[in-house]
Amino acid sequence: MFSKIFEAMYLKIFVNIVPKRFSTLVYIEVRSRKALLSSVEKEFETLECDENMYEFITAYTSESPYSYISVLDMSHSQGALPTCSKARMKFYEDIDNGEYKCIHNWTYYTEKENLLVIKKRYATIGVDYIFSPFSILSSFFKDKIDNKLAMYILVEENFLSLAIFENSQLLYGHHLDMMTKDDLDGMSLQDDENDEGDVNQFLSNDGDIDLDDFSALDDGNAELEDFGNIEDLDSLEDLDEFSDSKDMEEELSESTDTLEEADDNKFNEDYQRFTLIQGSVGQFYKDVRFESRFVENVYVADSVGVTKDFKKYLEEEMFFNVYIRQTDLALEVCELAKRELKL
């Protein structure tokens, strides 16, 4: 009783970390017992908890002894299985090197190595929870999953987390990797592969991993050129006008090229997402391990801003009814952390 009163006197600080392809998004909420007092978000151009990220986070966590640091597991070696039976899991996937948690009547899992990497990466600030993208997916679409058969997809920058549910029962889950070889070469996760030690942690009831209880140009300021002896000022004005016009055309051309390149990248990424989904659905239909059903409806949690082509592919090529909701991964991670604390 006294501890609850003591706790109520302090602010609660929620630090939510979402690793992206080459950067890290940190979203922080400062709350009283029930109310949101303030929030802040900052993106760091690194995947490591460097000095800047450390100072940003600790500036808030030092305000209260009640701070909670959560990380979204963005590793490729994870997934979801349509059973909670340990013996039955082997029928779908060998997860002897993984940690798993039963949530309702299905299981999500991740490799122990992933937990070790995350634990080491954020060792300077500590981590309280690690959340699975399948926890995000099932929480975000809770109003739909409890009902009829449908496919649910969480679109992340590097991955797709795909699940097929029927009346709350998972029939099929697949974590699809969009990362290229160049992406992997640019990351330092492999540096942590040989780390040893116990992962003294456990997976909590709402889909997280509790680490406390688990057993592991230039600056652009170029100098102006000296024109020398130029007597005809009218010619100079004409030259300036011509130069300005040319510069404007070049800037417009460069801007257009950049936009076209960005559009091409979006198109390519959405087509890649489509082909990954197509292959995954094909496995669901053909693989005898899964109780396949004919899927008509697809619900997409979009955290990256997919194009209209993505929806068009699924509708015209696979004959799905597609419904897209925008989502903010950092906010969803924060919601799961608050649910853990029953706030």
Side-chain angles (χ1 to χ4, degrees):
M1 179 66 179
F2 178 76
S3 62
K4 290 291 183 183
I5 296 174
F6 181 76
E7 181 180 343
M9 297 170 58
Y10 286 92
L11 298 174
K12 286 185 168 60
I13 315 297
F14 291 88
V15 178
N16 310 279
I17 301 173
V18 177
K20 301 175 77 174
R21 185 164 291 167
F22 298 114
S23 63
T24 304
L25 182 66
V26 179
Y27 169 72
I28 298 176
E29 282 191 5
V30 179
R31 303 183 67 90
S32 63
R33 185 175 182 183
K34 292 294 182 182
L36 173 64
L37 301 180
S38 65
S39 64
V40 62
E41 182 176 282
K42 188 172 182 179
E43 188 162 347
F44 298 86
E45 298 303 317
T46 177
L47 291 172
E48 304 302 322
C49 185
D50 62 5
E51 184 177 354
N52 290 333
M53 190 187 301
Y54 173 82
E55 290 178 354
F56 175 72
I57 292 172
T58 55
Y60 289 89
T61 56
S62 61
E63 295 180 9
S64 171
Y66 295 96
S67 59
Y68 309 94
I69 297 177
S70 304
V71 180
L72 182 60
D73 184 1
M74 288 296 203
S75 52
H76 68 279
S77 50
Q78 57 178 309
L81 304 175
T83 183
C84 283
S85 166
K86 189 172 182 179
R88 183 80 176 157
M89 288 177 195
K90 295 181 182 294
F91 179 70
Y92 298 101
E93 190 74 28
D94 181 4
I95 57 173
D96 288 342
N97 293 323
E99 295 293 341
Y100 60 90
K101 177 65 184 179
C102 175
I103 176 170
H104 304 304
N105 48 8
W106 58 279
T107 299
Y108 64 88
Y109 66 89
T110 191
E111 287 191 3
K112 290 180 181 179
E113 179 188 317
N114 301 335
L115 307 181
L116 289 169
V117 170
I118 293 171
K119 184 178 180 181
K120 181 177 180 181
R121 173 165 288 168
Y122 302 105
T124 56
I125 56 173
V127 177
D128 297 290
Y129 305 113
I130 301 175
F131 291 107
S132 164
F134 289 97
S135 299
I136 299 285
L137 187 63
S138 61
S139 174
F140 188 73
F141 285 118
K142 182 172 175 53
D143 61 323
K144 302 294 182 185
I145 284 174
D146 292 341
N147 298 316
K148 58 186 179 181
L149 171 71
M151 180 164 64
Y152 303 88
I153 303 170
L154 177 62
V155 179
E156 305 142 81
E157 191 174 71
N158 295 341
F159 301 99
L160 298 172
S161 299
L162 181 152
I164 298 175
F165 283 92
E166 183 176 32
N167 300 324
S168 300
Q169 173 61 53
L170 179 74
L171 301 180
Y172 176 80
H174 199 175
H175 192 59
L176 302 165
D177 193 343
M178 286 189 60
M179 296 179 71
T180 65
K181 182 179 183 300
D182 289 341
D183 291 334
L184 293 171
D185 289 344
M187 298 177 67
S188 59
L189 294 182
Q190 300 303 319
D191 295 340
D192 303 293
E193 283 187 353
N194 297 320
D195 290 345
E196 296 180 356
D198 292 332
V199 187
N200 297 317
Q201 305 153 353
F202 87 105
L203 295 159
S204 69
N205 292 333
D206 274 335
D208 62 276
I209 303 167
D210 191 330
L211 292 175
D212 289 334
D213 300 322
F214 206 86
S215 280
L217 280 161
D218 249 339
D219 58 9
N221 297 321
E223 293 182 358
L224 294 174
E225 294 289 338
D226 186 359
F227 282 97
N229 295 322
I230 303 178
E231 297 179 357
D232 189 346
L233 296 181
D234 290 336
S235 298
L236 178 58
E237 289 175 359
D238 291 341
L239 179 61
D240 286 341
E241 289 175 4
F242 173 77
S243 178
D244 289 344
S245 175
K246 184 178 180 182
D247 288 344
M248 188 177 297
E249 289 175 0
E250 288 178 349
E251 288 176 5
L252 181 60
S253 175
E254 290 174 2
S255 176
T256 302
D257 290 345
T258 301
L259 289 172
E260 288 178 352
E261 183 178 350
D263 288 343
D264 287 344
N265 289 338
K266 277 282 189 182
F267 174 85
N268 292 335
E269 287 183 350
D270 281 344
Y271 186 74
Q272 183 185 2
R273 291 183 178 106
F274 161 69
T275 57
L276 288 172
I277 293 167
Q278 190 178 47
S280 192
V281 171
Q283 181 187 35
F284 172 65
Y285 285 150
K286 296 175 183 178
D287 196 322
V288 296
R289 293 176 299 171
F290 304 105
E291 298 180 21
S292 61
R293 306 277 195 278
F294 181 69
V295 178
E296 295 182 85
N297 298 315
V298 176
Y299 296 92
V300 178
D302 175 21
S303 72
V304 300
V306 295
T307 66
K308 293 180 180 179
D309 291 320
F310 175 73
K311 186 172 185 287
K312 182 180 176 182
Y313 295 145
L314 294 175
E315 289 178 336
E316 296 186 1
E317 299 296 328
M318 301 187 71
F319 308 107
F320 289 136
N321 302 315
V322 181
Y323 309 91
I324 298 179
R325 292 183 189 175
Q326 301 300 313
T327 186
D328 185 317
L329 291 179
L331 289 177
E332 293 302 319
V333 169
C334 191
E335 288 303 310
L336 289 179
K338 287 184 286 188
R339 185 180 301 170
E340 284 297 309
L341 296 169
K342 297 179 171 57
L343 293 182

